[in-house]
Amino acid sequence: MSPIIRSGYAPRRGPERARAYGYNRRHWQHTRLARLELDNHQCQLRYPGCTHTATTVDLDHELNGNHDQATLENTRSACRHCHATKDGQGRRPRYA
């Protein structure tokens, strides 16, 4: 599977990012809501500091951010704290 961003540039915020990763597409919105409802809006990651109330959905990293391929099997409900903790572990350090 090829990465969704072929140029190597991924917008950090705004409508360009939503369009590039498929956040605003009907498929993702439907999958996201179904996942949250299936998990009764409870965080499935449960890292230290978890708030227990899921407001976001974590996508399997093997999909390279391609929300068009999201299914109930490759997503998990997460609170913002745990989602940020998990995604932060895989980020590269910034260089000055």
Side-chain angles (χ1 to χ4, degrees):
M1 170 175 52
S2 60
I4 196 166
I5 304 296
R6 290 178 183 85
S7 67
Y9 167 76
R12 292 182 65 88
R13 297 198 187 283
E16 296 84 18
R17 182 177 177 88
R19 193 170 24 261
Y21 287 102
Y23 297 143
N24 56 356
R25 291 195 185 99
R26 187 175 298 169
H27 170 75
W28 170 246
Q29 293 301 319
H30 175 75
T31 304
R32 179 186 174 279
L33 183 57
R35 177 84 262 170
L36 288 169
E37 289 176 356
L38 185 67
D39 293 332
N40 199 28
H41 292 265
Q42 295 296 304
C43 181
Q44 302 300 301
L45 301 178
R46 303 293 175 122
Y47 292 131
C50 180
T51 65
H52 303 286
T53 303
T55 56
T56 67
V57 173
D58 178 54
L59 182 65
D60 188 333
H61 284 289
E62 290 187 13
L63 296 180
N64 292 326
N66 188 346
H67 290 71
D68 291 330
Q69 295 181 352
T71 65
L72 293 178
E73 290 75 35
N74 60 23
T75 56
R76 292 184 290 181
S77 298
C79 69
R80 287 205 180 273
H81 170 79
C82 291
H83 199 171
T85 300
K86 179 181 178 287
D87 285 351
Q89 290 174 352
R91 292 193 179 155
R92 295 179 184 155
R94 288 189 175 179
Y95 299 100

